[in-house]
């Protein structure tokens, strides 16, 4: 995915950026972003780097307002999702510090984020005091180094944390999308970025629209087909986790009714209700006229346009089943976004970082089981043509369990020295409806 650049005006906007053609991931700022994202991932969040923020209604060429340096999604044991961003500045000194904090306060409100963090090599006492007043977190180099030391065993790059295989696939997908007119920029941008901030109804609607577009477009080239399918599966999991977090306050039946109402245009229901009222009125008048002329009264029931058109969405049974499975196993479900990220954008794209012992807890039989339920749900929502590109998830290998106390302070071994985990027997995955 093409990274956007910030345009915030003032001195920050006039700073000299990297030379033309320089990959942002290879700059000092890009390295700082990756270090923060790596810490967040190690502490349980799924993270993405350089997520574009669209500017609705903007003129052509100015559709991107700015980008989120590091976007993190945390899930607790009650499956409540919280979103946070980190603004990373590699420049030393206090220049621009107050302005950055005030900007972050507005940025949090704009995107409805739960937490924002300013990351700088040093934070002045004035900056810390202002951050406290604005309820903004801060991180300096000393704190970053301490947290990194506790998680050295995590690979340096993987999946969307500048993993080489993922980066190459996303870059190639950018080029391929230019020749796929049915897959509009708005749709693909939603799946690859905006979906991270979206609510369940928008996620389900976006994935369904993507599936329809894939059918109209026909066969998609690789790696675009696998990359976009991976983003669609991630959207399904994110929607399911968010809805699972609400099942303490409502029943599955109420959830289903809410999704039906959200996913069907309410103005259509209003028009259909008015049309039904008109038909009943006309039928009643005609019937009364016959009775007035001496005909025998008859009971006539006019068919309902609303009931004929607004039929239940065919995938809701599978989706609600997926949500209930998530809520019944929150210890595993809270990790599923991380598992999906690694499975789709590291394992299936040919990376080796997922084999690290640091990720062993994300590849158990239970994680694989829930991931396959999500894949089945994706098949129902987006269609077989989309989901078929993720068929390799059925062959996903799992860790049989972690022995002893891991040494998190040791850097990971090279991929060639890492032994692939053994696959558990399929009998340990008793999931109805999945072959």
């Amino acid at each position: 995915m093409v990274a956007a650049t910030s345009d915030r005006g003032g001195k920050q906007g006039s700073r000299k950026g990297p030379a033309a053609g320089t990959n942002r991931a290879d700059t000092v700022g890009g390295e700082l972003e990756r270090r923060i994202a790596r810490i967040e991932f190690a502490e349980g969040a799924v993270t993405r780097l350089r997520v574009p923020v669209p500017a609705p209604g903007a003129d052509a060429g100015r559709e991107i307002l700015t980008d989120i340096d590091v976007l993190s999604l945390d899930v607790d044991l009650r499956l409540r999702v919280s979103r946070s961003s980190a603004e990373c500045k590699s420049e030393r000194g206090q220049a621009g510090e107050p302005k950055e904090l005030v900007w972050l306060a507005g940025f949090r409100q704009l995107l409805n984020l739960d937490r924002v963090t300013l990351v700088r090599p040093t934070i002045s006492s004035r900056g810390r005091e202002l951050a406290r007043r604005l309820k903004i977190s801060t991180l300096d180099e000393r704190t970053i180094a301490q947290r990194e030391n506790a998680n050295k065993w995590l690979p340096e790059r993987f999946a969307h944390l500048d993993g080489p295989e993922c980066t190459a696939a996303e870059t190639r997908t950018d080029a391929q999308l230019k020749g796929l007119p049915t897959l509009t920029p708005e749709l693909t941008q939603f799946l690859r970025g905006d979906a991270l901030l979206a609510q369940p109804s928008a996620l389900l609607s976006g994935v369904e629209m993507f599936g329809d577009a894939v059918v109209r477009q026909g066969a998609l080239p690789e790696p675009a087909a696998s990359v976009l399918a991976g983003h669609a599966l991630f959207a399904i999991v994110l929607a399911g986790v968010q809805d699972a977090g609400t099942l303490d306050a409502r029943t599955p039946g109420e959830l289903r009714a809410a999704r039906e109402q959200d996913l069907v245009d309410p103005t259509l229901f209003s028009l259909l209700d008015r049309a039904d009222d008109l038909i009943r009125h006309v039928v009643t008048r005609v019937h009364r006229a016959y009775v007035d002329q001496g005909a025998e009264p008859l009971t006539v029931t006019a068919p309902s346009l609303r009931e004929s058109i607004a039929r239940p969405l065919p995938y809701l049974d599978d989706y609600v089943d997926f949500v209930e499975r998530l809520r019944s196993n929150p210890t595993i479900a809270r990790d599923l976004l991380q598992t999906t990220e690694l499975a789709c954008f590291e394992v299936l794209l040919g990376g080796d970082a997922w084999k690290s012992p640091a990720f062993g807890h994300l590849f158990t039989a239970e994680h694989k089981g829930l991931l396959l339920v999500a894949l089945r749900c994706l098949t129902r929502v987006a269609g077989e043509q989309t989901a078929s590109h993720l068929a390799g998830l059925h062959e996903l290998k799992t860790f049989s369990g972690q022995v002893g106390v891991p040494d998190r302070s040791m850097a990971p071994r090279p991929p060639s020295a890492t032994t692939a985990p053994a696959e558990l027997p399929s009998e340990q995955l008793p999931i109805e409806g999945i072959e």
Side-chain angles (χ1 to χ4, degrees):
M1 184 165 54
V2 176
T5 56
S6 301
D7 183 10
R8 298 169 192 166
K11 294 181 180 179
Q12 296 181 65
S14 61
R15 279 200 192 104
K16 184 177 180 180
T22 302
N23 189 340
R24 181 171 166 183
D26 298 327
T27 64
V28 175
E31 181 185 4
L32 180 60
E33 292 165 353
R34 187 167 56 252
R35 291 172 65 194
I36 298 302
R38 183 169 168 266
I39 292 172
E40 290 283 314
F41 200 99
E43 294 178 353
V46 64
T47 52
R48 294 281 178 87
L49 296 173
R50 310 162 201 122
V51 178
V53 177
D59 296 331
R62 303 186 68 87
E63 295 88 354
I64 301 301
L65 177 66
T66 181
D67 65 4
I68 305 174
D69 291 347
V70 181
L71 176 62
S72 302
L73 278 66
D74 290 277
V75 183
D76 65 17
L77 275 174
R78 291 192 180 276
L79 302 187
R80 293 169 294 200
V81 178
S82 60
R83 295 171 170 88
S84 61
S85 74
E87 179 73 7
C88 301
K89 298 297 180 184
S90 57
E91 300 86 356
R92 297 187 178 275
Q94 300 182 27
E97 189 181 65
K99 185 176 181 179
E100 290 163 0
L101 288 166
V102 173
W103 184 88
L104 270 177
F107 192 63
R108 175 179 57 199
Q109 183 176 358
L110 174 67
L111 298 183
N112 194 28
L113 299 170
D114 299 286
R115 178 173 61 95
V116 291
T117 302
L118 177 63
V119 182
R120 293 175 62 99
T122 59
I123 305 290
S124 69
S125 57
R126 178 185 65 168
R128 293 187 188 281
E129 178 58 31
L130 180 57
R132 279 192 288 268
R133 292 172 60 188
L134 295 174
K135 296 181 173 58
I136 293 175
S137 303
T138 58
L139 277 177
D140 58 14
E141 180 62 37
R142 177 175 173 274
T143 306
I144 295 171
Q146 288 177 341
R147 296 188 181 178
E148 284 182 318
N149 285 335
N151 294 287
K152 281 186 177 180
W153 70 332
L154 207 71
E156 292 291 335
R157 299 183 182 222
F158 55 90
H160 280 105
L161 272 62
D162 296 331
E165 293 81 10
C166 181
T167 300
E170 290 279 12
T171 302
R172 180 60 179 154
T173 296
D174 287 332
Q176 291 175 332
L177 284 174
K178 296 176 182 178
L180 303 173
T182 305
L183 303 181
T184 63
E186 294 79 13
L187 181 57
T188 55
Q189 179 182 309
F190 174 81
L191 284 180
R192 302 168 81 188
D194 302 352
L196 300 168
L197 299 173
Q199 296 302 306
S201 292
L203 291 167
L204 291 173
S205 178
V207 172
E208 185 177 14
M209 291 173 61
F210 171 67
D212 292 341
V214 169
V215 171
R216 295 196 304 272
Q217 180 65 49
L220 302 185
E222 291 291 353
S226 295
V227 167
L228 296 176
H231 284 292
L233 181 63
F234 189 93
I236 290 290
V237 174
L238 179 56
V241 170
Q242 290 183 96
D243 271 337
T246 70
L247 288 186
D248 289 344
R250 59 182 172 183
T251 67
E254 291 171 335
L255 168 63
R256 180 191 178 94
R259 289 294 153 262
E260 284 182 337
Q261 183 175 354
D262 292 344
L263 292 169
V264 178
D265 187 353
T267 59
L268 175 61
F269 278 159
S270 177
L271 290 173
L272 292 176
D273 286 338
R274 292 170 63 184
D276 284 340
D277 290 341
L278 176 61
I279 291 174
R280 283 193 293 269
H281 174 69
V282 172
V283 169
T284 300
R285 287 187 59 184
V286 171
H287 182 66
R288 185 181 298 120
Y290 275 103
V291 172
D292 291 343
Q293 296 299 320
E296 291 291 330
L298 299 174
T299 301
V300 179
T301 302
S304 170
L305 290 174
R306 173 170 178 161
E307 292 179 0
S308 300
I309 296 175
R311 296 175 180 174
L313 296 170
Y315 58 77
L316 277 184
D317 285 341
D318 289 280
Y319 176 71
V320 173
D321 172 69
F322 174 51
V323 172
E324 289 187 90
R325 288 174 183 266
L326 291 172
R327 188 62 190 92
S328 65
N329 195 355
T331 304
I332 301 300
R334 70 179 299 189
D335 298 333
L336 200 59
L337 287 172
Q338 287 190 321
T339 301
T340 306
E341 172 75 5
L342 290 172
C344 292
F345 301 107
E346 187 67 26
V347 179
L348 295 186
L349 295 182
D352 289 318
W354 71 279
K355 299 175 184 178
S356 167
F359 299 136
H361 66 290
L362 300 175
F363 289 94
T364 69
E366 289 181 290
H367 287 88
K368 179 179 178 180
L370 283 178
L371 192 60
L372 292 181
V373 176
L375 181 60
R376 181 184 67 187
C377 189
L378 175 65
T379 304
R380 301 292 192 270
V381 177
E384 178 64 33
Q385 186 172 338
T386 295
S388 64
H389 296 285
L390 303 178
L393 294 178
H394 288 276
E395 308 302 323
L396 186 66
K397 296 184 183 298
T398 57
F399 282 93
S400 58
Q402 192 165 268
V403 180
V405 178
D407 186 356
R408 296 180 172 84
S409 64
M410 293 292 293
R413 293 177 293 173
S416 59
T418 305
T419 303
E423 187 174 13
L424 289 180
S426 59
E427 290 82 356
Q428 297 190 32
L429 302 175
I431 303 170
E432 182 180 352
I434 294 180
E435 297 179 357

